[in-house]
Amino acid sequence: MANRSLSKKTLNKWSLDLSGRLKYVADQHTSSALPAPLGYSEHKYQHLEPRDLNSTHLVAKKTWDLALGPFKQIPMNLFIMYMAGNSISIFPIMMVGMMFLRPVKALLAIKSTFQALQGDHESATLQKITYLLGNISLVILALYKCQSMGLLPTATSDWLEFMERKTRLEYSGGGFGL
């Protein structure tokens, strides 16, 4: 008997009274016949945002994640540029080609990329501008790599046939030291 009176005094919000009564011991709000679940507290859930505001926030967060995606690709593209080297062979040319084509395709599909996320919400012009600048910076990186590999026609002799090509002052080659 003393054990039962002691257990009633030490009940906290995580305890459950299984003696057959349908009242929740920690809360005296017994408007329903069933007790509240363990750990439930009404004051904890009163400040939730409405569903519309919450979904607007999620859409804005998703559009910013999408807009910052090209800027997150810049370090990886720099690493690929370093690993490809400046030699002209099939693999570095393929890497540079993909570094150039991916952002160009993304630039051509900006409207369709953001259309799925917009729905009835605002136009997200700042996110689109950020996405545009990120993809343009990726194109500039690819063009820089093409120029460092010697693939871009930058000399006048590359454009005009009657101009003489630059003559090299030194030649180096490998092989036998004869």
PDB file of all heavy atoms in Angstrom, residues 30-63:
ATOM      1  N   THR A  30      -8.444  16.738 -19.334  1.00  0.00           N
ATOM      2  CA  THR A  30      -9.005  15.440 -19.692  1.00  0.00           C
ATOM      3  C   THR A  30     -10.293  15.637 -20.466  1.00  0.00           C
ATOM      4  O   THR A  30     -11.349  15.165 -20.079  1.00  0.00           O
ATOM      5  CB  THR A  30      -9.261  14.606 -18.425  1.00  0.00           C
ATOM      6  OG1 THR A  30     -10.119  15.368 -17.584  1.00  0.00           O
ATOM      7  CG2 THR A  30      -7.974  14.255 -17.733  1.00  0.00           C
ATOM      8  N   SER A  31     -10.188  16.363 -21.596  1.00  0.00           N
ATOM      9  CA  SER A  31     -11.397  16.606 -22.375  1.00  0.00           C
ATOM     10  C   SER A  31     -11.770  15.388 -23.214  1.00  0.00           C
ATOM     11  O   SER A  31     -12.910  15.216 -23.576  1.00  0.00           O
ATOM     12  CB  SER A  31     -11.206  17.822 -23.283  1.00  0.00           C
ATOM     13  OG  SER A  31     -10.127  17.589 -24.158  1.00  0.00           O
ATOM     14  N   SER A  32     -10.827  14.526 -23.518  1.00  0.00           N
ATOM     15  CA  SER A  32     -11.150  13.326 -24.287  1.00  0.00           C
ATOM     16  C   SER A  32     -11.075  12.113 -23.374  1.00  0.00           C
ATOM     17  O   SER A  32     -10.541  12.167 -22.273  1.00  0.00           O
ATOM     18  CB  SER A  32     -10.171  13.175 -25.458  1.00  0.00           C
ATOM     19  OG  SER A  32      -8.885  12.917 -24.950  1.00  0.00           O
ATOM     20  N   ALA A  33     -11.587  11.016 -23.859  1.00  0.00           N
ATOM     21  CA  ALA A  33     -11.617   9.809 -23.045  1.00  0.00           C
ATOM     22  C   ALA A  33     -10.277   9.089 -23.065  1.00  0.00           C
ATOM     23  O   ALA A  33      -9.989   8.318 -22.172  1.00  0.00           O
ATOM     24  CB  ALA A  33     -12.709   8.881 -23.544  1.00  0.00           C
ATOM     25  N   LEU A  34      -9.451   9.332 -24.079  1.00  0.00           N
ATOM     26  CA  LEU A  34      -8.155   8.655 -24.170  1.00  0.00           C
ATOM     27  C   LEU A  34      -7.046   9.557 -23.646  1.00  0.00           C
ATOM     28  O   LEU A  34      -7.098  10.768 -23.815  1.00  0.00           O
ATOM     29  CB  LEU A  34      -7.858   8.297 -25.622  1.00  0.00           C
ATOM     30  CG  LEU A  34      -8.778   7.269 -26.268  1.00  0.00           C
ATOM     31  CD1 LEU A  34      -8.441   7.118 -27.738  1.00  0.00           C
ATOM     32  CD2 LEU A  34      -8.631   5.934 -25.563  1.00  0.00           C
ATOM     33  N   PRO A  35      -6.030   8.968 -23.055  1.00  0.00           N
ATOM     34  CA  PRO A  35      -4.911   9.789 -22.579  1.00  0.00           C
ATOM     35  C   PRO A  35      -4.040  10.241 -23.751  1.00  0.00           C
ATOM     36  O   PRO A  35      -4.032   9.624 -24.812  1.00  0.00           O
ATOM     37  CB  PRO A  35      -4.147   8.836 -21.662  1.00  0.00           C
ATOM     38  CG  PRO A  35      -4.465   7.486 -22.182  1.00  0.00           C
ATOM     39  CD  PRO A  35      -5.884   7.566 -22.690  1.00  0.00           C
ATOM     40  N   ALA A  36      -3.322  11.316 -23.541  1.00  0.00           N
ATOM     41  CA  ALA A  36      -2.398  11.809 -24.561  1.00  0.00           C
ATOM     42  C   ALA A  36      -1.212  10.855 -24.661  1.00  0.00           C
ATOM     43  O   ALA A  36      -0.902  10.152 -23.699  1.00  0.00           O
ATOM     44  CB  ALA A  36      -1.925  13.201 -24.190  1.00  0.00           C
ATOM     45  N   PRO A  37      -0.552  10.795 -25.801  1.00  0.00           N
ATOM     46  CA  PRO A  37       0.612   9.907 -25.938  1.00  0.00           C
ATOM     47  C   PRO A  37       1.732  10.315 -24.993  1.00  0.00           C
ATOM     48  O   PRO A  37       1.794  11.453 -24.538  1.00  0.00           O
ATOM     49  CB  PRO A  37       1.040  10.096 -27.396  1.00  0.00           C
ATOM     50  CG  PRO A  37      -0.043  10.811 -28.067  1.00  0.00           C
ATOM     51  CD  PRO A  37      -0.869  11.477 -27.050  1.00  0.00           C
ATOM     52  N   LEU A  38       2.637   9.377 -24.740  1.00  0.00           N
ATOM     53  CA  LEU A  38       3.757   9.661 -23.856  1.00  0.00           C
ATOM     54  C   LEU A  38       4.612  10.777 -24.437  1.00  0.00           C
ATOM     55  O   LEU A  38       4.949  10.774 -25.624  1.00  0.00           O
ATOM     56  CB  LEU A  38       4.624   8.419 -23.688  1.00  0.00           C
ATOM     57  CG  LEU A  38       4.046   7.321 -22.818  1.00  0.00           C
ATOM     58  CD1 LEU A  38       4.970   6.132 -22.813  1.00  0.00           C
ATOM     59  CD2 LEU A  38       3.818   7.810 -21.419  1.00  0.00           C
ATOM     60  N   GLY A  39       4.977  11.733 -23.633  1.00  0.00           N
ATOM     61  CA  GLY A  39       5.830  12.828 -24.070  1.00  0.00           C
ATOM     62  C   GLY A  39       5.127  13.938 -24.811  1.00  0.00           C
ATOM     63  O   GLY A  39       5.754  14.895 -25.222  1.00  0.00           O
ATOM     64  N   TYR A  40       3.831  13.849 -25.000  1.00  0.00           N
ATOM     65  CA  TYR A  40       3.091  14.883 -25.728  1.00  0.00           C
ATOM     66  C   TYR A  40       2.876  16.084 -24.836  1.00  0.00           C
ATOM     67  O   TYR A  40       2.529  15.971 -23.672  1.00  0.00           O
ATOM     68  CB  TYR A  40       1.745  14.336 -26.201  1.00  0.00           C
ATOM     69  CG  TYR A  40       0.908  15.364 -26.915  1.00  0.00           C
ATOM     70  CD1 TYR A  40       1.213  15.735 -28.216  1.00  0.00           C
ATOM     71  CD2 TYR A  40      -0.176  15.969 -26.287  1.00  0.00           C
ATOM     72  CE1 TYR A  40       0.451  16.679 -28.873  1.00  0.00           C
ATOM     73  CE2 TYR A  40      -0.936  16.914 -26.932  1.00  0.00           C
ATOM     74  CZ  TYR A  40      -0.623  17.259 -28.226  1.00  0.00           C
ATOM     75  OH  TYR A  40      -1.371  18.191 -28.886  1.00  0.00           O
ATOM     76  N   SER A  41       3.080  17.244 -25.409  1.00  0.00           N
ATOM     77  CA  SER A  41       2.864  18.486 -24.682  1.00  0.00           C
ATOM     78  C   SER A  41       2.222  19.460 -25.649  1.00  0.00           C
ATOM     79  O   SER A  41       2.769  19.750 -26.704  1.00  0.00           O
ATOM     80  CB  SER A  41       4.205  19.019 -24.178  1.00  0.00           C
ATOM     81  OG  SER A  41       4.045  20.316 -23.699  1.00  0.00           O
ATOM     82  N   GLU A  42       1.068  20.008 -25.297  1.00  0.00           N
ATOM     83  CA  GLU A  42       0.336  20.876 -26.216  1.00  0.00           C
ATOM     84  C   GLU A  42       1.049  22.193 -26.455  1.00  0.00           C
ATOM     85  O   GLU A  42       1.042  22.716 -27.556  1.00  0.00           O
ATOM     86  CB  GLU A  42      -1.067  21.135 -25.687  1.00  0.00           C
ATOM     87  CG  GLU A  42      -1.962  19.928 -25.793  1.00  0.00           C
ATOM     88  CD  GLU A  42      -3.384  20.263 -25.388  1.00  0.00           C
ATOM     89  OE1 GLU A  42      -3.762  21.442 -25.472  1.00  0.00           O
ATOM     90  OE2 GLU A  42      -4.099  19.338 -25.001  1.00  0.00           O
ATOM     91  N   HIS A  43       1.675  22.750 -25.442  1.00  0.00           N
ATOM     92  CA  HIS A  43       2.329  24.049 -25.616  1.00  0.00           C
ATOM     93  C   HIS A  43       3.546  23.945 -26.535  1.00  0.00           C
ATOM     94  O   HIS A  43       4.014  24.922 -27.068  1.00  0.00           O
ATOM     95  CB  HIS A  43       2.722  24.639 -24.264  1.00  0.00           C
ATOM     96  CG  HIS A  43       3.784  23.861 -23.553  1.00  0.00           C
ATOM     97  ND1 HIS A  43       3.499  22.749 -22.817  1.00  0.00           N
ATOM     98  CD2 HIS A  43       5.121  24.043 -23.492  1.00  0.00           C
ATOM     99  CE1 HIS A  43       4.622  22.268 -22.304  1.00  0.00           C
ATOM    100  NE2 HIS A  43       5.626  23.026 -22.709  1.00  0.00           N
ATOM    101  N   LYS A  44       4.054  22.762 -26.752  1.00  0.00           N
ATOM    102  CA  LYS A  44       5.212  22.565 -27.607  1.00  0.00           C
ATOM    103  C   LYS A  44       4.873  22.755 -29.088  1.00  0.00           C
ATOM    104  O   LYS A  44       5.699  23.185 -29.881  1.00  0.00           O
ATOM    105  CB  LYS A  44       5.746  21.155 -27.367  1.00  0.00           C
ATOM    106  CG  LYS A  44       7.051  20.844 -28.017  1.00  0.00           C
ATOM    107  CD  LYS A  44       7.401  19.410 -27.640  1.00  0.00           C
ATOM    108  CE  LYS A  44       8.802  19.055 -27.941  1.00  0.00           C
ATOM    109  NZ  LYS A  44       9.106  17.694 -27.562  1.00  0.00           N
ATOM    110  N   TYR A  45       3.668  22.442 -29.489  1.00  0.00           N
ATOM    111  CA  TYR A  45       3.295  22.433 -30.894  1.00  0.00           C
ATOM    112  C   TYR A  45       2.369  23.586 -31.287  1.00  0.00           C
ATOM    113  O   TYR A  45       1.764  23.546 -32.327  1.00  0.00           O
ATOM    114  CB  TYR A  45       2.621  21.107 -31.243  1.00  0.00           C
ATOM    115  CG  TYR A  45       3.512  19.937 -30.976  1.00  0.00           C
ATOM    116  CD1 TYR A  45       3.327  19.125 -29.872  1.00  0.00           C
ATOM    117  CD2 TYR A  45       4.560  19.655 -31.824  1.00  0.00           C
ATOM    118  CE1 TYR A  45       4.152  18.055 -29.619  1.00  0.00           C
ATOM    119  CE2 TYR A  45       5.394  18.586 -31.583  1.00  0.00           C
ATOM    120  CZ  TYR A  45       5.189  17.790 -30.478  1.00  0.00           C
ATOM    121  OH  TYR A  45       6.019  16.748 -30.240  1.00  0.00           O
ATOM    122  N   GLN A  46       2.256  24.605 -30.477  1.00  0.00           N
ATOM    123  CA  GLN A  46       1.340  25.696 -30.779  1.00  0.00           C
ATOM    124  C   GLN A  46       1.919  26.692 -31.773  1.00  0.00           C
ATOM    125  O   GLN A  46       1.196  27.391 -32.445  1.00  0.00           O
ATOM    126  CB  GLN A  46       0.950  26.431 -29.509  1.00  0.00           C
ATOM    127  CG  GLN A  46       0.018  25.628 -28.636  1.00  0.00           C
ATOM    128  CD  GLN A  46      -0.256  26.349 -27.331  1.00  0.00           C
ATOM    129  OE1 GLN A  46       0.343  27.370 -27.051  1.00  0.00           O
ATOM    130  NE2 GLN A  46      -1.164  25.792 -26.548  1.00  0.00           N
ATOM    131  N   HIS A  47       3.226  26.766 -31.914  1.00  0.00           N
ATOM    132  CA  HIS A  47       3.853  27.795 -32.741  1.00  0.00           C
ATOM    133  C   HIS A  47       4.273  27.273 -34.109  1.00  0.00           C
ATOM    134  O   HIS A  47       5.201  27.792 -34.703  1.00  0.00           O
ATOM    135  CB  HIS A  47       5.062  28.378 -32.019  1.00  0.00           C
ATOM    136  CG  HIS A  47       4.711  28.980 -30.691  1.00  0.00           C
ATOM    137  ND1 HIS A  47       3.955  30.118 -30.585  1.00  0.00           N
ATOM    138  CD2 HIS A  47       5.005  28.587 -29.435  1.00  0.00           C
ATOM    139  CE1 HIS A  47       3.800  30.408 -29.311  1.00  0.00           C
ATOM    140  NE2 HIS A  47       4.429  29.495 -28.587  1.00  0.00           N
ATOM    141  N   LEU A  48       3.627  26.265 -34.600  1.00  0.00           N
ATOM    142  CA  LEU A  48       3.962  25.754 -35.925  1.00  0.00           C
ATOM    143  C   LEU A  48       3.428  26.698 -37.001  1.00  0.00           C
ATOM    144  O   LEU A  48       2.359  27.279 -36.860  1.00  0.00           O
ATOM    145  CB  LEU A  48       3.374  24.359 -36.140  1.00  0.00           C
ATOM    146  CG  LEU A  48       4.004  23.245 -35.317  1.00  0.00           C
ATOM    147  CD1 LEU A  48       3.282  21.938 -35.596  1.00  0.00           C
ATOM    148  CD2 LEU A  48       5.468  23.108 -35.639  1.00  0.00           C
ATOM    149  N   GLU A  49       4.194  26.802 -38.096  1.00  0.00           N
ATOM    150  CA  GLU A  49       3.768  27.645 -39.209  1.00  0.00           C
ATOM    151  C   GLU A  49       2.670  26.942 -39.993  1.00  0.00           C
ATOM    152  O   GLU A  49       2.620  25.720 -40.045  1.00  0.00           O
ATOM    153  CB  GLU A  49       4.951  27.905 -40.129  1.00  0.00           C
ATOM    154  CG  GLU A  49       6.065  28.687 -39.479  1.00  0.00           C
ATOM    155  CD  GLU A  49       7.244  28.861 -40.419  1.00  0.00           C
ATOM    156  OE1 GLU A  49       7.250  28.226 -41.480  1.00  0.00           O
ATOM    157  OE2 GLU A  49       8.138  29.627 -40.076  1.00  0.00           O
ATOM    158  N   PRO A  50       1.839  27.711 -40.643  1.00  0.00           N
ATOM    159  CA  PRO A  50       0.858  27.078 -41.522  1.00  0.00           C
ATOM    160  C   PRO A  50       1.559  26.363 -42.677  1.00  0.00           C
ATOM    161  O   PRO A  50       2.694  26.657 -43.019  1.00  0.00           O
ATOM    162  CB  PRO A  50       0.016  28.249 -42.037  1.00  0.00           C
ATOM    163  CG  PRO A  50       0.271  29.366 -41.106  1.00  0.00           C
ATOM    164  CD  PRO A  50       1.618  29.136 -40.509  1.00  0.00           C
ATOM    165  N   ARG A  51       0.876  25.459 -43.291  1.00  0.00           N
ATOM    166  CA  ARG A  51       1.455  24.630 -44.350  1.00  0.00           C
ATOM    167  C   ARG A  51       1.893  25.472 -45.550  1.00  0.00           C
ATOM    168  O   ARG A  51       2.907  25.189 -46.168  1.00  0.00           O
ATOM    169  CB  ARG A  51       0.444  23.572 -44.779  1.00  0.00           C
ATOM    170  CG  ARG A  51       0.993  22.586 -45.772  1.00  0.00           C
ATOM    171  CD  ARG A  51      -0.001  21.462 -45.984  1.00  0.00           C
ATOM    172  NE  ARG A  51       0.450  20.541 -46.974  1.00  0.00           N
ATOM    173  CZ  ARG A  51       1.195  19.482 -46.729  1.00  0.00           C
ATOM    174  NH1 ARG A  51       1.586  19.249 -45.502  1.00  0.00           N
ATOM    175  NH2 ARG A  51       1.560  18.674 -47.690  1.00  0.00           N
ATOM    176  N   ASP A  52       1.174  26.520 -45.872  1.00  0.00           N
ATOM    177  CA  ASP A  52       1.532  27.344 -47.025  1.00  0.00           C
ATOM    178  C   ASP A  52       2.860  28.061 -46.804  1.00  0.00           C
ATOM    179  O   ASP A  52       3.696  28.121 -47.689  1.00  0.00           O
ATOM    180  CB  ASP A  52       0.433  28.366 -47.311  1.00  0.00           C
ATOM    181  CG  ASP A  52      -0.870  27.709 -47.714  1.00  0.00           C
ATOM    182  OD1 ASP A  52      -0.823  26.554 -48.185  1.00  0.00           O
ATOM    183  OD2 ASP A  52      -1.920  28.342 -47.541  1.00  0.00           O
ATOM    184  N   LEU A  53       3.047  28.622 -45.602  1.00  0.00           N
ATOM    185  CA  LEU A  53       4.301  29.318 -45.316  1.00  0.00           C
ATOM    186  C   LEU A  53       5.472  28.349 -45.293  1.00  0.00           C
ATOM    187  O   LEU A  53       6.565  28.669 -45.751  1.00  0.00           O
ATOM    188  CB  LEU A  53       4.201  30.060 -43.992  1.00  0.00           C
ATOM    189  CG  LEU A  53       3.217  31.224 -43.934  1.00  0.00           C
ATOM    190  CD1 LEU A  53       3.163  31.791 -42.532  1.00  0.00           C
ATOM    191  CD2 LEU A  53       3.626  32.290 -44.928  1.00  0.00           C
ATOM    192  N   ASN A  54       5.244  27.173 -44.761  1.00  0.00           N
ATOM    193  CA  ASN A  54       6.297  26.177 -44.694  1.00  0.00           C
ATOM    194  C   ASN A  54       6.688  25.707 -46.092  1.00  0.00           C
ATOM    195  O   ASN A  54       7.865  25.564 -46.388  1.00  0.00           O
ATOM    196  CB  ASN A  54       5.837  25.004 -43.825  1.00  0.00           C
ATOM    197  CG  ASN A  54       6.990  24.138 -43.395  1.00  0.00           C
ATOM    198  OD1 ASN A  54       8.143  24.519 -43.518  1.00  0.00           O
ATOM    199  ND2 ASN A  54       6.667  22.975 -42.889  1.00  0.00           N
ATOM    200  N   SER A  55       5.727  25.479 -46.965  1.00  0.00           N
ATOM    201  CA  SER A  55       6.049  25.034 -48.322  1.00  0.00           C
ATOM    202  C   SER A  55       6.716  26.149 -49.111  1.00  0.00           C
ATOM    203  O   SER A  55       7.604  25.884 -49.926  1.00  0.00           O
ATOM    204  CB  SER A  55       4.795  24.543 -49.045  1.00  0.00           C
ATOM    205  OG  SER A  55       3.898  25.612 -49.258  1.00  0.00           O
ATOM    206  N   THR A  56       6.345  27.397 -48.882  1.00  0.00           N
ATOM    207  CA  THR A  56       7.011  28.522 -49.542  1.00  0.00           C
ATOM    208  C   THR A  56       8.468  28.589 -49.120  1.00  0.00           C
ATOM    209  O   THR A  56       9.350  28.813 -49.951  1.00  0.00           O
ATOM    210  CB  THR A  56       6.300  29.832 -49.198  1.00  0.00           C
ATOM    211  OG1 THR A  56       4.920  29.714 -49.537  1.00  0.00           O
ATOM    212  CG2 THR A  56       6.904  30.993 -49.943  1.00  0.00           C
ATOM    213  N   HIS A  57       8.713  28.383 -47.847  1.00  0.00           N
ATOM    214  CA  HIS A  57      10.084  28.386 -47.345  1.00  0.00           C
ATOM    215  C   HIS A  57      10.890  27.250 -47.970  1.00  0.00           C
ATOM    216  O   HIS A  57      12.056  27.433 -48.348  1.00  0.00           O
ATOM    217  CB  HIS A  57      10.074  28.271 -45.824  1.00  0.00           C
ATOM    218  CG  HIS A  57      11.424  28.120 -45.219  1.00  0.00           C
ATOM    219  ND1 HIS A  57      12.352  29.136 -45.217  1.00  0.00           N
ATOM    220  CD2 HIS A  57      12.021  27.062 -44.616  1.00  0.00           C
ATOM    221  CE1 HIS A  57      13.454  28.711 -44.632  1.00  0.00           C
ATOM    222  NE2 HIS A  57      13.276  27.465 -44.255  1.00  0.00           N
ATOM    223  N   LEU A  58      10.299  26.073 -48.080  1.00  0.00           N
ATOM    224  CA  LEU A  58      11.001  24.931 -48.679  1.00  0.00           C
ATOM    225  C   LEU A  58      11.290  25.150 -50.157  1.00  0.00           C
ATOM    226  O   LEU A  58      12.354  24.783 -50.651  1.00  0.00           O
ATOM    227  CB  LEU A  58      10.195  23.648 -48.472  1.00  0.00           C
ATOM    228  CG  LEU A  58      10.133  23.125 -47.051  1.00  0.00           C
ATOM    229  CD1 LEU A  58       9.207  21.924 -46.976  1.00  0.00           C
ATOM    230  CD2 LEU A  58      11.512  22.774 -46.554  1.00  0.00           C
ATOM    231  N   VAL A  59      10.343  25.754 -50.876  1.00  0.00           N
ATOM    232  CA  VAL A  59      10.565  26.032 -52.299  1.00  0.00           C
ATOM    233  C   VAL A  59      11.683  27.054 -52.466  1.00  0.00           C
ATOM    234  O   VAL A  59      12.547  26.905 -53.342  1.00  0.00           O
ATOM    235  CB  VAL A  59       9.251  26.515 -52.963  1.00  0.00           C
ATOM    236  CG1 VAL A  59       9.515  27.070 -54.341  1.00  0.00           C
ATOM    237  CG2 VAL A  59       8.259  25.377 -53.042  1.00  0.00           C
ATOM    238  N   ALA A  60      11.706  28.080 -51.619  1.00  0.00           N
ATOM    239  CA  ALA A  60      12.774  29.081 -51.697  1.00  0.00           C
ATOM    240  C   ALA A  60      14.133  28.452 -51.387  1.00  0.00           C
ATOM    241  O   ALA A  60      15.127  28.746 -52.056  1.00  0.00           O
ATOM    242  CB  ALA A  60      12.486  30.221 -50.735  1.00  0.00           C
ATOM    243  N   LYS A  61      14.161  27.584 -50.408  1.00  0.00           N
ATOM    244  CA  LYS A  61      15.419  26.905 -50.062  1.00  0.00           C
ATOM    245  C   LYS A  61      15.886  26.013 -51.204  1.00  0.00           C
ATOM    246  O   LYS A  61      17.075  25.983 -51.539  1.00  0.00           O
ATOM    247  CB  LYS A  61      15.216  26.083 -48.796  1.00  0.00           C
ATOM    248  CG  LYS A  61      16.472  25.442 -48.281  1.00  0.00           C
ATOM    249  CD  LYS A  61      16.213  24.696 -47.003  1.00  0.00           C
ATOM    250  CE  LYS A  61      17.483  24.021 -46.530  1.00  0.00           C
ATOM    251  NZ  LYS A  61      17.275  23.231 -45.331  1.00  0.00           N
ATOM    252  N   LYS A  62      14.964  25.305 -51.833  1.00  0.00           N
ATOM    253  CA  LYS A  62      15.318  24.424 -52.951  1.00  0.00           C
ATOM    254  C   LYS A  62      15.806  25.225 -54.156  1.00  0.00           C
ATOM    255  O   LYS A  62      16.759  24.817 -54.835  1.00  0.00           O
ATOM    256  CB  LYS A  62      14.099  23.571 -53.326  1.00  0.00           C
ATOM    257  CG  LYS A  62      14.369  22.554 -54.395  1.00  0.00           C
ATOM    258  CD  LYS A  62      15.336  21.509 -53.940  1.00  0.00           C
ATOM    259  CE  LYS A  62      15.493  20.463 -55.030  1.00  0.00           C
ATOM    260  NZ  LYS A  62      16.538  19.527 -54.733  1.00  0.00           N
ATOM    261  N   THR A  63      15.188  26.370 -54.434  1.00  0.00           N
ATOM    262  CA  THR A  63      15.636  27.184 -55.565  1.00  0.00           C
ATOM    263  C   THR A  63      17.017  27.768 -55.295  1.00  0.00           C
ATOM    264  O   THR A  63      17.829  27.860 -56.223  1.00  0.00           O
ATOM    265  CB  THR A  63      14.645  28.319 -55.876  1.00  0.00           C
ATOM    266  OG1 THR A  63      14.414  29.086 -54.706  1.00  0.00           O
ATOM    267  CG2 THR A  63      13.346  27.774 -56.424  1.00  0.00           C
TER     268      THR A  63
END
